[in-house]
Amino acid sequence: MTPAGVPTGRALAVLAGLALLVALAALGIGATRLGPWRLLAAIWGDGLSAQERLVLFNLRLPRLVLGMLAGGALAVSGALMQALFRNPLADPGIIGVSPGAALGAVIAIVLGGAVAPFLPFALSIPALTILFAFAGGWLAVALLSRVAFRAGRTDIASMLLAGIALAALTGAATGLLITVADDQQLRDMNYWAMGSLAGATWARVGMAAAVIVPVMALAPLLARGMNALALGEAAAHHMGFRVEALKRRAILLTAAATGAAVALTGGIGFVGIIVPHLLRQALGPDHRLILPGAALAGGVLLVAADVAARSLMAPAEIPIGILTALIGAPVFLHILLRRMAAGGGIA
Amino acid sequence: MAAARSLRHLAAALLALILPAGAQADAPPRTVVLGGTLAEIIAALGAEDQLVGRDATSSWPESLLALPDVGYLRAVSAEGVLSLEPELIIADPGAGPEAAVDVLRASGVPYVTVPYERSAEGVIDKITATAAALHREAEGAALAARVRSQIDEAAARAAAIPEDARRGVLFVMSLQGGAVMVGGGGTTPDSLITMAGARNVAAAIDGYKVMTDEAIIAAAPDVILMTDGGMDAAMSAAAIRAHPALGHTPAAERGDIVMIDGLMVLGFGPRVGDAVLFLNDAFYPAADRGPQP
Amino acid sequence: MIRLDGVSLHRGSRCILCGLSLDIRAGEVTVILGPNGSGKSTLLAALAGTMPYRGAVRLNGHDVSRCGPARMAEERAVLPQHSELAFPFRVAEVVALGARGGLAGDPAALAARVEALLARLGLEGFGPRNAASLSGGEAQRMHLARVLLQAETGSGAPPWLFLDEPVNGLDLAHQLAVMDEARAFARQGGGVLAVLHDLNLAVRAADRLLVLHEGGLCADGPPGRVLNDALLETVFGCEALMNRIPLDRPFLLVQAQANITRQ
């Protein structure tokens, strides 16, 4: 129990139960006729056909795990950024990671064919896209942090403004690449920007897990510091936290988790805003609860959205980024209006 | 339900063992097609009935639109394809994403990739390969022969036109916001224009790009070729004549503006022969074609 | 005990406090006074470990310039004039953020301690409320509860309370309540160092006044001895009527026009 009486263990158990339910739905719902009952029967030993096994183990299961990881990564990143910037509308885009990753992906899609022969290792365009997107996210964060890092302090306001400049720069670079892209590359860019879990393979799940699982494990260690930051940087320092280290760690974890999620699933937006917001509404703002909770709830939201994305227009799919934006944009406006009504302003 | 299906599969497998190969020819495999020109070829081969699904680019002939859509060619849903219980998948090499194609290949359903090359020979090869995959070699040979004779006729007509009498053509893809997007070298319209015995004045541009107004005037096209925009009001002869650059080209001043069905000019399919002959007729109307050989 | 030895503070290239040496004792309330720009808050920040300085400062024997924030947080707690709060924490959660040591990991004991502190500061039953809904006076008492919890659970011997203009914007009753709490903390052996603006409040709350002026310490001692007409005129640029009853806690009535051109 936290001092205010929030039953920590119970809240996390409820989220884990939800995750289990959504997982069952994700495994049991799809275009092929492999429903939940057939699935349960399979657990009791009633064998599945080869094709059913293929659908279950090579399509639905990797997709479920990737969704859980990516959703959790985006939600935890969002919670960290909101704590760092002390604003419930902050998202990982603020530190440049998503625009940087997007630019990296676009470069790989458009120029990958030309660049690949000169690389010391053989990589397909999709693999190159993952690599470039991840590297692009890191580079952007490194650049922004350098701009904002002066006299041993990370100046949050400078970081925000530099982020606006960076977004404009990546937008211009993307525009330039669009003019040289062919039709198919344009389509690929479009689909990448809308995000999808469709590319989920066990190899991708492995890459995501290697980065995201450590972040999910480390993020709760920052929870007390993030709570103290709610009182301002000076107060957090007075309360014994090394604020600069705290900021750097939060940025590092966010760059890693969001970079991996965006590189592997494309531009899925708003998860980092919706999930922490709903959790704060339900459980209060204590980050000792929000950070582990977001790791679970982000996965639940993204996997649920993915079930909808591949069922609503079956046998075709809706890009999942469209669904998260459809849910997320109204939530964003709702938070904004409430803050303005409370006289809180937007900054 | 599932048990009944596996029984049916078992029976089919047993039959295949007992009966000599080819005995199933009267039950053509349930087929999913990924790729617009492949779908066109399949329809032209008279095999449309065996299609059970298609990708979003497979939109001609229009009767295909009634089939379930498994997503855009580059964003195909693997489970969506499998849910249609196909016995054959015929796909363009561009089908994707990679992960979905990997799963489809692993599913045990025969997955045939038909090579794609943007040339007359490429179309013939595509028809032959598709016909082979469908075991419709005879229909394939007939279709290939028809396309070949059309292309040969176009080539003969083109050869009869002296080099200096070839008309300069500009393919205008879109006029959105006044910016003229043209078909440069390496595009399907570029190939078709050349095959029809004309020259693409935008050949120096690579792919579909916006051409600057001054370059358009300098290129001085004799003919402007554009797709039949349908509802797009920006794509009309009036819009060409009103355009500050296009309006001052010989083509606009003489009214040599040719409209063509977009599906015909943008893909290299079985209608390529029709398209080339249509363009040849349009670029060189009988009146000013000069003495025939 | 806080020992300053040749401490200098700079604002840009200008020296605003030059070569200050003095001891500040625990068990009493020490109030820093001085006109605007005399370096009161800067000095407090330097002693709290958040502002670079030249010279030596030892807080309970620790060299402040070598202490990390965690060590400093054990020795002293800081109450600023105004605290922000980014998320809708409950009152009890905000207070509990101050807890250090074993108490921070013992939810039941922590909850009881927080409840007791809130009751002591007249905020009984406020624990489950949204901290953002409090009035200015209630919020400042909540934050006082938080820093008191930090000072009481830290390992500092003695613990120190640094108050930086803690009563600005509060009504009279709340001003007195905050300063009375500080005096109670000092009576139990803790050290209190406060920056105040209101001379009368300073006189009422302080055991010792430090008056900063033109780069140095221009007066140091109990309020009854430090405050006099000359000091008011030279340091604060105004004339005031001084009521010297009681003798140790004089009462000021500002009488004449301010004369700030002297500064």
Side-chain angles (χ1 to χ4, degrees):
Chain A
M1 297 260 291
T2 59
V6 181
T8 310
R10 207 165 66 207
L12 291 181
V14 167
L15 282 175
L18 263 180
L20 214 64
L21 273 179
V22 168
L24 192 65
L27 292 178
I29 297 176
T32 54
R33 274 175 280 168
L34 174 57
W37 300 122
R38 181 90 183 85
L39 204 70
L40 288 176
I43 293 172
W44 301 120
D46 179 7
L48 294 170
S49 74
Q51 200 185 73
E52 283 172 329
R53 270 208 301 278
L54 183 81
V55 166
L56 187 60
F57 293 111
N58 287 25
L59 287 176
R60 292 186 189 171
L61 198 57
R63 197 167 176 146
L64 161 67
V65 181
L66 187 64
M68 282 287 174
L69 289 170
L74 293 171
V76 169
S77 300
L80 285 174
M81 289 299 98
Q82 286 144 27
L84 187 63
F85 288 87
R86 293 194 287 284
N87 188 324
L89 296 176
D91 85 347
I94 277 188
I95 57 163
V97 55
S98 357
L103 180 59
V106 169
I107 290 175
I109 290 169
V110 177
L111 305 178
V115 170
F118 301 104
L119 291 176
F121 37 84
L123 273 183
S124 67
I125 300 283
L128 207 64
T129 307
I130 296 173
L131 185 74
F132 273 41
F134 194 59
W138 275 103
L139 270 175
V141 173
L143 192 78
L144 279 197
S145 305
R146 240 187 127 69
V147 170
F149 188 82
R150 277 176 313 194
R153 295 171 57 85
T154 311
D155 179 8
I156 296 292
S158 315
M159 194 147 193
L160 276 173
L161 292 174
I164 294 173
L166 184 90
L169 201 68
T170 55
T174 306
L176 193 67
L177 288 165
I178 283 175
T179 62
V180 300
D182 67 26
D183 234 30
Q184 182 181 310
Q185 290 165 343
L186 281 178
R187 285 289 198 152
D188 284 352
M189 281 162 67
N190 256 329
Y191 274 93
W192 190 91
M194 291 186 285
S196 173
L197 295 176
T201 58
W202 285 115
R204 286 183 177 220
V205 168
M207 286 186 250
V211 178
I212 292 170
V213 169
V215 171
M216 284 177 170
L218 291 173
L221 300 181
L222 301 184
R224 293 173 59 85
M226 295 285 128
N227 281 343
L229 267 184
L231 297 168
E233 290 186 18
H237 178 93
H238 289 144
M239 290 160 74
F241 293 95
R242 298 203 297 139
V243 173
E244 281 311 308
L246 208 56
K247 285 196 276 188
R248 244 169 288 150
R249 284 175 194 159
I251 288 174
L252 210 68
L253 290 183
T254 301
T258 303
V262 174
L264 290 161
T265 61
I268 300 177
F270 289 106
V271 175
I273 288 175
I274 308 168
V275 173
H277 174 69
L278 293 179
L279 285 178
R280 277 193 295 268
Q281 297 271 307
L283 309 173
D286 189 336
H287 290 92
R288 287 173 297 175
L289 202 45
I290 295 291
L291 289 172
L296 277 171
V300 169
L301 178 82
L302 197 59
V303 170
D306 188 51
V307 171
R310 56 199 172 82
S311 313
L312 292 180
M313 278 178 61
E317 287 183 18
I318 307 170
I320 192 170
I322 293 176
L323 284 182
T324 57
L326 277 177
I327 311 169
V331 172
F332 188 94
L333 283 176
H334 169 73
I335 307 174
L336 190 63
L337 287 175
R338 271 196 7 175
R339 276 172 76 80
M340 284 162 70
I346 44 174
Chain B
M1 179 80 200
R5 208 164 60 237
S6 16
L7 264 182
R8 217 167 54 225
H9 285 178
L10 189 67
L14 284 174
L15 272 176
L17 281 176
I18 298 163
L19 297 174
Q24 295 175 73
D26 43 325
R30 297 165 59 87
T31 305
V32 170
V33 61
L34 308 175
T37 55
L38 294 179
E40 233 183 295
I41 291 172
I42 292 170
L45 293 172
E48 198 183 325
D49 288 347
Q50 73 186 74
L51 289 179
V52 293
R54 62 172 181 109
D55 77 309
T57 66
S58 301
S59 55
W60 179 268
E62 275 168 29
S63 51
L64 291 180
L65 295 176
L67 291 173
D69 174 359
V70 297
Y72 175 70
L73 179 65
R74 304 285 299 156
V76 165
S77 158
E79 192 175 342
V81 173
L82 292 178
S83 74
L84 302 170
E85 298 176 2
E87 289 151 340
L88 175 65
I89 300 166
I90 297 184
D92 188 271
E98 204 181 39
V101 173
D102 288 344
V103 167
L104 291 177
R105 284 183 193 279
S107 70
V109 179
Y111 185 97
V112 179
T113 301
V114 176
Y116 181 83
E117 196 198 321
R118 197 185 278 120
S119 70
E121 248 358 272
V123 176
I124 306 280
D125 288 348
K126 207 145 92 167
I127 291 169
T128 313
T130 309
L134 295 171
H135 300 293
R136 287 179 185 255
E137 284 83 356
E139 293 92 330
L143 180 61
R146 187 165 69 82
V147 172
R148 184 179 292 285
S149 78
Q150 286 175 322
I151 290 172
D152 287 347
E153 190 194 338
R157 285 196 208 169
I161 300 161
E163 199 65 42
D164 55 354
R166 298 201 170 201
R167 306 189 75 187
V169 179
L170 181 68
F171 174 73
V172 176
M173 169 103 153
S174 81
L175 266 178
Q176 212 58 52
V180 186
M181 170 99 67
V182 304
T187 62
T188 307
D190 176 72
S191 306
L192 297 180
I193 288 167
T194 312
M195 287 162 74
R199 74 193 154 79
N200 180 6
V201 297
I205 292 174
D206 189 33
Y208 294 100
K209 296 269 159 58
V210 172
M211 195 171 183
T212 63
D213 290 355
E214 291 179 26
I216 291 170
I217 290 173
D222 304 306
V223 180
I224 287 171
L225 174 64
M226 56 199 297
T227 57
D228 201 346
M231 291 184 294
D232 188 356
M235 295 291 280
S236 68
I240 296 279
R241 278 193 287 274
H243 191 272
L246 292 171
H248 294 97
T249 57
E253 279 162 2
R254 286 205 300 265
D256 278 347
I257 297 168
V258 176
M259 298 283 191
I260 188 169
D261 177 6
L263 287 168
M264 215 162 171
V265 80
L266 292 177
F268 237 79
R271 287 186 294 161
V272 64
D274 295 328
V276 172
L277 289 176
F278 169 84
L279 289 180
N280 183 277
D281 283 339
F283 296 160
Y284 305 101
D288 58 38
R289 199 183 290 161
Q292 290 286 307
Chain C
M1 162 102 94
I2 303 175
R3 170 158 287 175
L4 287 78
D5 196 356
V7 170
S8 297
L9 289 166
H10 294 79
R11 188 173 292 149
S13 59
R14 191 163 69 93
C15 187
I16 50 172
L17 273 183
C18 309
L20 205 58
S21 295
L22 73 134
D23 288 350
I24 301 169
R25 292 171 298 274
E28 60 183 24
V29 176
T30 305
V31 172
I32 307 175
L33 286 175
N36 287 338
S38 61
K40 307 181 296 288
S41 290
T42 315
L43 176 62
L44 194 72
L47 301 186
T50 53
M51 183 72 73
Y53 57 85
R54 291 187 201 152
V57 178
R58 300 193 82 83
L59 171 60
N60 291 345
H62 298 282
D63 180 347
V64 166
S65 65
R66 290 171 185 275
C67 284
R71 176 78 253 156
M72 288 300 288
E74 295 289 340
E75 306 293 336
R76 58 94 189 98
V78 182
L79 180 66
Q81 175 184 341
H82 177 77
S83 301
E84 52 178 312
L85 186 62
F87 298 104
F89 282 93
R90 296 162 202 258
V91 171
E93 288 174 316
V94 173
V95 176
L97 287 176
R100 300 196 65 78
L103 190 65
D106 182 351
L110 180 56
R113 184 76 170 267
V114 167
E115 210 37 64
L117 260 172
L118 286 175
R120 199 165 106 203
L121 292 172
L123 293 174
E124 195 156 18
F126 276 57
R129 285 209 207 169
N130 180 351
S133 69
L134 299 188
S135 72
E138 289 164 346
Q140 189 65 336
R141 276 182 287 157
M142 169 184 73
H143 287 294
L144 179 61
R146 170 173 64 79
V147 298
L148 280 172
L149 184 62
Q150 182 185 339
E152 289 173 9
T153 55
S155 63
W160 285 85
L161 209 50
F162 288 9
L163 311 172
D164 189 3
E165 306 189 11
V167 298
N168 281 26
L170 299 190
D171 60 37
L172 196 55
H174 285 116
Q175 293 186 12
L176 297 178
V178 167
M179 293 319 294
D180 284 350
E181 200 56 44
R183 289 189 62 76
F185 184 82
R187 268 201 308 278
Q188 279 154 29
V192 176
L193 185 58
V195 168
L196 292 178
H197 259 309
D198 184 331
L199 294 182
N200 281 319
L201 189 66
V203 165
R204 189 179 174 281
D207 297 307
R208 178 187 182 191
L209 290 181
L210 302 174
V211 183
L212 301 182
H213 183 51
E214 289 177 351
L217 186 64
C218 80
D220 175 2
R225 219 173 61 213
V226 164
L227 277 196
N228 55 51
D229 295 338
L231 180 97
L232 282 174
E233 190 159 350
T234 52
V235 176
F236 294 98
C238 64
E239 286 168 38
L241 195 66
M242 200 172 298
N243 178 353
R244 290 212 166 266
I245 299 169
L247 202 57
D248 61 333
R249 305 245 179 242
F251 174 80
L252 300 181
L253 187 61
V254 175
Q255 182 191 44
Q257 272 185 306
N259 183 9
I260 53 173
T261 50
R262 292 175 58 96
Q263 284 183 299

